[in-house]
Amino acid sequence: MAERIIIDTDPGQDDAVAILLALASPDDIDVLGITAVAGNVPLELTALNARKICELAGRPDVKVFAGCDRPLRQPLVTAEHVHGKTGLDGPTLPDPTMPLQAGHGVDFIIDTLRTEPAGTVTLCPLGPLTNIATAFERAPDIAARVKRIVLMGGAYFEVGNITPAAEFNIYVDPEAARIVFASRAPLVVMPLDVTHKALVTRPRNAAFRALGTPAGIAVAQMTDFFERFDREKYGSDGAPLHDPCVIAWLLNPALFSGREINVEIETASPLTRGMTVADWWGVTDRPRNALFIGDLDADGFFTLLAERLARL
């Protein structure tokens, strides 16, 4: 049976690739809907970009909802310096013709989790956790109905990418992250420790372009744009595809390895606000609340990604 998921996202080039990977895998993944959240760029653009990607995948039937336009407790921090002013700089994608759904993304999450049988819906947050936390605050009963949450966010050995201590998705809304990590819903976390190993090298990007399809070419153009930031910042061989790790784990968890550990979110300290305090070495007695992924088979990951993108 296909994994039934809600994608919560702030596209973002790597978010776009994650959405394409999910939509290219209908036998394995049933996308019940996509909820947009403010993050990499403001909500108006993330909701627009999500629909552009659905149409690029040939899936205008997917329901896309706009969610929260700001974090729970602080002003929005965006990342145009990484993703460009549109969030999807690189390819030129047409404006979508598919509509934005009338309801609010948080209501869609709540209604879906209450309507579907308990333990059958997986949440896949690819951006700040504002929508998920808001849903849990408004409807505390739904956390126990979630099958699992597989998210991209946080870091331990790789420390921070927006501050010295914090990864961007968690930093944008650490109060929301604290709610989600304390929810007792099963968590699988894709931190920078693993996503920085999913590097789009030039040969891998050439393989996307060689697919010759609109989706393959668009992905190559996205990573061509995206990589300039990471090459300059990290001296890496390409751009890390953070968010597709979430979908790839659902498709083939054997590509990944990690540990069940305790992860807490720092919200008070101005120095380390948004830090994921990951007890990797088990030095506390705090209860384990997350499978924290630390490594992946990069060649297997990119083989899977290219094979699935070729289906679009």
Side-chain angles (χ1 to χ4, degrees), residues 28-99:
D28 302 294
I29 293 178
D30 180 9
V31 180
L32 302 178
I34 296 174
T35 52
V37 68
N40 285 321
V41 286
L43 179 65
E44 180 180 1
L45 287 174
T46 63
L48 177 71
N49 291 345
R51 288 177 288 148
K52 286 183 177 182
I53 297 305
C54 288
E55 292 196 352
L56 178 62
R59 290 293 306 278
D61 58 298
V62 176
K63 294 180 180 179
V64 177
F65 298 82
C68 297
D69 66 354
R70 69 196 69 186
L72 296 181
R73 308 280 186 267
Q74 67 180 31
L76 176 65
V77 175
T78 56
E80 288 89 350
H81 62 290
V82 179
H83 298 278
K85 64 180 181 179
T86 70
L88 285 182
D89 282 20
T92 301
L93 299 175
D95 286 336
T97 59
M98 62 186 286

Side-chain angles (χ1 to χ4, degrees), residues 70 77 80 115 121 124 138 164 187 200 212 234 244 247 262 267 274 278 297 305:
R70 69 196 69 186
V77 175
E80 288 89 350
T115 301
V121 176
C124 296
R138 291 183 185 175
L187 286 173
V200 186
Y234 298 110
I247 305 301
N262 176 267
T267 60
D297 172 357
L305 184 54

Side-chain angles (χ1 to χ4, degrees), residues 72 129-130 133 169-170 173-182 265 276:
L72 296 181
L129 290 162
T130 315
N169 285 346
I170 305 299
D173 199 342
E175 284 77 16
R178 172 171 277 192
I179 290 167
V180 172
F181 276 76
I265 310 300
T276 45

Side-chain angles (χ1 to χ4, degrees), residues 40-297:
N40 285 321
V41 286
L43 179 65
E44 180 180 1
L45 287 174
T46 63
L48 177 71
N49 291 345
R51 288 177 288 148
K52 286 183 177 182
I53 297 305
C54 288
E55 292 196 352
L56 178 62
R59 290 293 306 278
D61 58 298
V62 176
K63 294 180 180 179
V64 177
F65 298 82
C68 297
D69 66 354
R70 69 196 69 186
L72 296 181
R73 308 280 186 267
Q74 67 180 31
L76 176 65
V77 175
T78 56
E80 288 89 350
H81 62 290
V82 179
H83 298 278
K85 64 180 181 179
T86 70
L88 285 182
D89 282 20
T92 301
L93 299 175
D95 286 336
T97 59
M98 62 186 286
L100 189 64
Q101 298 297 306
H104 194 282
V106 169
D107 293 329
F108 172 73
I109 293 168
I110 294 170
D111 292 345
T112 302
L113 288 170
R114 283 178 169 169
T115 301
E116 299 297 330
T120 65
V121 176
T122 293
L123 302 179
C124 296
L126 310 178
L129 290 162
T130 315
N131 285 341
I132 309 301
T134 302
F136 286 179
E137 282 195 318
R138 291 183 185 175
D141 58 291
I142 65 173
R145 301 181 63 85
V146 176
K147 179 178 180 180
R148 65 169 71 94
I149 301 171
V150 188
L151 67 90
M152 189 276 134
Y156 180 62
F157 294 101
E158 288 287 305
V159 295
N161 64 353
I162 188 68
T163 74
E167 178 274 331
F168 177 82
N169 285 346
I170 305 299
Y171 178 77
V172 169
D173 199 342
E175 284 77 16
R178 172 171 277 192
I179 290 167
V180 172
F181 276 76
S183 69
R184 298 188 179 180
L187 286 173
V188 181
V189 180
M190 299 289 162
L192 298 181
D193 304 281
V194 65
T195 66
H196 277 177
K197 298 171 184 176
L199 284 179
V200 186
T201 59
R202 286 175 178 169
R204 288 167 176 165
N205 210 33
F208 295 148
R209 186 173 278 105
L211 294 175
T213 61
I217 293 169
V219 167
Q221 292 171 332
M222 288 180 203
T223 53
D224 278 342
F225 177 86
F226 192 40
E227 73 173 2
R228 93 221 179 280
F229 176 81
D230 293 279
R231 283 181 180 274
E232 180 177 342
K233 181 174 182 178
Y234 298 110
S236 60
D237 291 331
L241 283 181
H242 306 284
D243 295 326
C245 290
V246 167
I247 305 301
W249 186 88
L250 292 175
L251 292 170
N252 188 358
L255 293 173
F256 299 84
S257 61
R259 294 183 185 181
E260 294 277 357
I261 64 171
N262 176 267
V263 182
E264 304 289 341
I265 310 300
E266 176 58 53
T267 60
S269 168
L271 191 63
T272 58
R273 180 171 169 81
M275 182 179 183
T276 45
V277 183
D279 187 9
W280 185 260
W281 303 113
V283 297
T284 75
D285 59 0
R286 291 193 291 265
R288 298 171 183 175
N289 62 345
L291 173 59
F292 201 77
I293 303 299
D295 203 359
L296 86 162
D297 172 357

Side-chain angles (χ1 to χ4, degrees), residues 4-42:
R4 306 173 77 234
I5 73 171
I6 295 172
I7 296 175
D8 187 68
T9 183
D10 62 337
Q13 290 91 348
D14 55 324
D15 304 69
V17 180
I19 294 168
L20 290 172
L21 178 58
L23 296 180
S25 308
D27 292 339
D28 302 294
I29 293 178
D30 180 9
V31 180
L32 302 178
I34 296 174
T35 52
V37 68
N40 285 321
V41 286

